[in-house]
Amino acid sequence: MSAKINIPKDHPRYRAMMIRENMIKGCENKVVAPAGLIAQGRGEAFDYLIGEKTEPFALDAIKAAACAFILAEHPVISVNGNVAQLVPDWLVKLSEVSGAPLEINLFYREPGREEAILKVLEKAGAKRVLGVSGRRETIKELSSDRRIVDPEGIYKADMVFVPLEDGDRTEALAAMGKRVVTVDLNPLSRTPNKAHVAIIDNITRALPLLAEYIISYKNKKREELEALYSSYSNRETLRKSLVFMAERLISLSREI
Ligand code: PTJ
């Protein structure tokens, strides 16, 4: 158990430190995998580089992601331990506004983790969560435990939202003809490079915006949404995010 720690409200990094404490608590409760704490640290480092704000390249991706959700026939939200601990309420809200079910899908499939994550989601108001019924399908292209999916969820989905994702699943899902949307603060990571839409932003900022755009785009005509989606370039987004970080670092170096 971690020691009870008192973080003063006037600490310059109060919010980030509270989030860190929340992740440690999630790890103690088995919601977050120990490796999830390392992922959180890497995310924090990239968030520093973008200045902890949602930049226009992320907003473009959020708009394209909103289109992808609305255009899909069977969208699904894949939930891992980090996401469940960081933004449970927003996952439930996103599921409500988009009609996409939540599916627990873990890389580190340790006994008790699915149940712990299910508890967190249900506490946040989730009525139906896939990936826990015991009914399973296998994505043969994958060798990690992420290959085990729900036949009613990721297996039959035409669009999968995979925030804070590791490795090679995105490539496999795309090869199966599914549209893949991710959120990842690291534009150099494999997933954003293989996804159709990569939101380079902190999930804590991106999900509220995504839910908001889905609500406001719902009244748009299908052709308009398709045109908006087609005008989006993921390569351009990744390039812009890297240029933004590089220029920001150069500008900060001049202030030292
Ligand atoms: O719960 P499990 O077993 O499914 O495992 C989940 C983790 C996150 C441990 C697993 O998917 C993993 O190992 O992921 P990676 O390879 O560490 O990749 C996670 C990515 O998320 C990294 O590129 C981080 O930069 C990014 N990231 C971390 N925190 C945030 C983030 N991106 C956006 N918002 C964050 N808060």
Side-chain angles (χ1 to χ4, degrees):
M1 285 285 270
S2 71
K4 186 137 180 60
I5 189 145
N6 172 35
I7 300 166
K9 283 219 162 73
D10 59 354
H11 190 288
R13 298 207 48 78
Y14 176 76
R15 192 173 170 272
M17 289 185 76
M18 290 304 286
I19 292 175
R20 195 178 285 183
E21 285 307 307
N22 178 41
M23 294 303 277
I24 293 170
K25 198 172 106 211
C27 195
E28 289 167 355
N29 294 339
K30 286 189 152 190
V31 173
V32 176
L37 297 181
I38 298 171
Q40 168 70 13
R42 191 164 42 213
E44 276 182 18
F46 276 95
D47 214 5
Y48 254 80
L49 298 184
I50 63 167
E52 297 176 315
K53 282 210 298 279
T54 302
E55 289 298 329
F57 52 79
L59 209 52
D60 287 348
I62 287 169
K63 290 175 188 171
C67 296
F69 264 102
I70 303 166
L71 288 167
E73 215 163 299
H74 294 293
V76 172
I77 301 164
S78 180
V79 178
N80 67 24
N82 281 48
V83 174
Q85 185 69 19
L86 281 167
V87 280
D89 298 346
W90 284 107
L91 287 171
V92 173
K93 176 85 178 164
L94 183 65
S95 174
E96 279 169 9
V97 302
S98 66
L102 301 168
E103 175 169 344
I104 300 175
N105 181 273
L106 303 181
F107 187 82
Y108 299 99
R109 226 173 243 266
E110 284 176 16
R113 283 199 67 213
E114 279 180 357
E115 294 77 1
I117 293 170
L118 179 64
K119 227 162 114 183
V120 166
L121 294 175
E122 284 179 344
K123 193 168 166 223
K127 303 273 183 304
R128 179 174 169 240
V129 179
L130 300 176
V132 284
S133 68
R135 299 209 300 139
R136 332 184 125 190
E137 270 294 348
T138 305
I139 297 179
K140 293 178 189 63
E141 291 84 348
L142 274 179
S143 46
S144 79
D145 275 354
R146 285 211 193 277
R147 71 186 184 284
I148 304 159
V149 293
D150 195 307
E152 287 307 305
I154 292 171
Y155 194 72
K156 79 164 190 193
D158 54 349
M159 181 261 169
V160 194
F161 183 53
V162 292
L164 281 62
E165 177 82 356
D166 48 270
D168 54 357
R169 182 162 69 142
T170 297
E171 211 170 352
L173 294 174
M176 291 170 82
K178 302 176 193 296
R179 212 169 245 180
V180 185
V181 175
T182 190
V183 180
D184 196 322
L185 277 158
N186 179 2
L188 298 170
S189 162
R190 197 177 157 95
T191 300
N193 281 277
K194 297 290 176 191
H196 297 98
V197 180
I199 303 168
I200 307 297
D201 199 9
N202 197 311
I203 191 152
T204 58
R205 295 188 296 270
L207 278 208
L209 287 168
L210 181 55
E212 201 180 289
Y213 272 96
I214 291 174
I215 294 168
S216 80
Y217 278 13
K218 263 186 190 167
N219 299 325
K220 285 193 191 294
K221 291 204 176 85
R222 199 169 171 87
E223 304 83 70
E224 203 183 336
L225 292 169
E226 268 159 6
L228 247 166
Y229 181 81
S230 313
S231 68
Y232 172 80
S233 160
N234 202 48
R235 281 164 68 93
E236 206 44 44
T237 290
L238 295 178
R239 220 174 270 138
K240 282 182 184 164
S241 69
L242 285 170
V243 168
F244 178 83
M245 288 181 201
E247 288 177 347
R248 185 163 182 275
L249 286 180
I250 290 171
S251 140
L252 287 172
S253 75
R254 296 203 177 101
E255 288 169 23
I256 288 172

